[in-house]
Amino acid sequence: MPIGGSISNYPQGFASGLQVRGMPLLQMQPGNVFWVDNSSVLNVGAKGASDSNRGTYLAPFSTLQYGLDSCTANRGDIIFVGAGHAETIANATTLTLNKAGVAIIGLGAGAKRPTFTFTTAVTANIPCTAADISIQNCLFVANFADITSVFTATGTATPTDLAIDNCEFRDTSNVLNFISIFSGNATANSCDGLSFTRSKISSLGTTAATTALKLASATDRVTICDNFGNWAVLNDTAAMLAGGANNITNLNFGRNVLNRPNTSSTGGSFISSSSTACTGHCYDNYLWQLDNTAGIWIATGTKLAFSNNFSPITGAADKSGLINPAAV
């Protein structure tokens, strides 16, 4: 009902959209909405999932790839992936993020989130070939040894503004594991706008150097915020971001809680970079390691700004970290 003669208490509306329990209200959505749901628990009146269905709530597709192939690029289409949906990623062709401007939104919580299990080969991955794609609230599970990457910018693809939000990446054991979550390519600025937010990493791998995000070329506007991650010990290996000699500019690295109990941190336990021309800000991060000689969570000389980051520098267990780099 009207309040005080007005329609609502928000006369300026919601410029960035409105969500209820993480789901956007769709009345003003410009594109089409498709449903993917191969769960054995059917909605009342629903048909079983099939890629010959229409992709509606009551007649969902059975695979995310068919949902993507049904979208129109840059129209603002949304794919809802139902609670309990499950797929196996056994190679590099099962699923490709190939339709620009599509939002993929997983429904459900805990074990009932849409789950993508990687099996069969180290090269099983999800190639990213189109720009402006987002994926939200999905679970990715490694069930094969040393899977190279979950998402990959293959060849000379330019998947700019890829957004990975509120997802979980889980190893099955220390030998059934992901090596990385996202791997860029050598094309400069091909991965500009990469956003990795509100996600959880449970990395158990000890057989190869595990780093969540690997950038192989100059990259601008990278956001890595509000993530939680646990890694096994892999000394002198960055857990979250490896930039190499590439300039990472306008980096937004904030409010991450990351744990890797390395006892040697040469090159940085959480961010590694040999660039001396990075820009951006690292702030309010809580980073735990056990190096009792240096306690380096990021290499010096990057030219990044630092504010209020806490990381141990003595290697003592059961102690809180200090501001690192040191306050001046």
Side-chain angles (χ1 to χ4, degrees):
M1 295 179 63
I3 301 174
S6 301
I7 294 177
S8 75
N9 284 328
Y10 303 95
Q12 303 304 314
F14 301 90
S16 299
L18 177 64
Q19 293 185 347
V20 176
R21 298 190 67 185
M23 293 179 58
L25 299 184
L26 303 179
Q27 287 86 344
M28 300 302 293
Q29 172 63 25
N32 282 341
V33 176
F34 296 100
W35 288 82
V36 175
D37 186 358
N38 63 13
S39 170
S40 60
V41 181
L42 298 179
N43 295 309
V44 176
K47 300 170 60 176
S50 171
D51 285 343
S52 63
N53 286 345
R54 297 175 57 198
T56 62
Y57 177 74
L58 295 178
F61 297 137
S62 62
T63 65
L64 178 54
Q65 186 63 65
Y66 199 85
L68 282 161
D69 292 342
S70 300
C71 292
T72 297
N74 299 312
R75 184 173 60 185
D77 290 353
I78 290 178
I79 300 173
F80 284 113
V81 187
H85 178 82
E87 294 190 38
T88 297
I89 308 297
N91 50 47
T93 59
T94 302
L95 174 60
T96 300
L97 301 187
N98 60 351
K99 202 60 66 80
V102 172
I104 301 164
I105 300 176
L107 306 180
K112 288 304 179 182
R113 289 169 294 178
T115 301
F116 299 86
T117 302
F118 289 64
T119 65
T120 308
V122 297
T123 54
N125 74 95
I126 302 173
C128 305
T129 62
D132 307 309
I133 293 177
S134 62
I135 185 164
Q136 184 179 39
N137 194 42
C138 292
L139 172 63
F140 301 88
V141 178
N143 199 30
F144 195 80
D146 295 340
I147 293 169
T148 303
S149 191
V150 179
F151 301 100
T152 307
T154 55
T156 58
T158 55
T160 54
D161 295 293
L162 172 67
I164 302 166
D165 179 61
N166 194 32
C167 291
E168 183 176 352
F169 302 87
R170 185 185 299 171
D171 289 350
T172 301
S173 73
N174 69 320
V175 295
L176 302 175
N177 62 293
F178 295 123
I179 300 301
S180 65
I181 293 169
F182 178 84
S183 296
N185 59 29
T187 301
N189 301 108
S190 60
C191 300
D192 284 0
L194 174 66
S195 178
F196 187 77
T197 57
R198 301 194 305 154
S199 292
K200 182 177 181 180
I201 301 168
S202 300
S203 179
L204 303 174
T206 58
T207 58
T210 55
T211 302
L213 308 175
K214 297 180 178 180
L215 299 177
S217 60
T219 309
D220 189 39
R221 297 183 294 105
V222 176
T223 296
I224 306 170
C225 290
D226 301 299
N227 302 292
F228 180 89
N230 274 306
W231 286 262
V233 173
L234 279 167
N235 283 326
D236 307 318
T237 302
M240 179 56 82
L241 176 64
N246 306 294
N247 294 335
I248 311 301
T249 52
N250 292 301
L251 172 65
N252 179 7
F253 188 82
R255 298 182 304 276
N256 299 290
V257 179
L258 310 176
N259 309 294
R260 175 168 238 165
N262 285 355
T263 56
S264 178
S265 60
T266 300
S269 287
F270 296 98
I271 297 178
S272 64
S273 173
S274 60
S275 169
T276 58
C278 295
T279 64
H281 208 128
C282 302
Y283 57 94
D284 296 333
N285 296 289
Y286 295 87
L287 311 153
W288 193 76
Q289 58 187 332
L290 283 177
D291 186 346
N292 63 3
T293 58
I296 301 168
W297 70 265
I298 182 172
T300 59
T302 61
K303 300 299 191 295
L304 291 166
F306 299 96
S307 296
N308 208 42
N309 300 287
F310 287 82
S311 177
I313 59 175
T314 64
D318 304 317
K319 301 296 182 181
S320 295
L322 303 174
I323 293 179
N324 180 3
V328 293

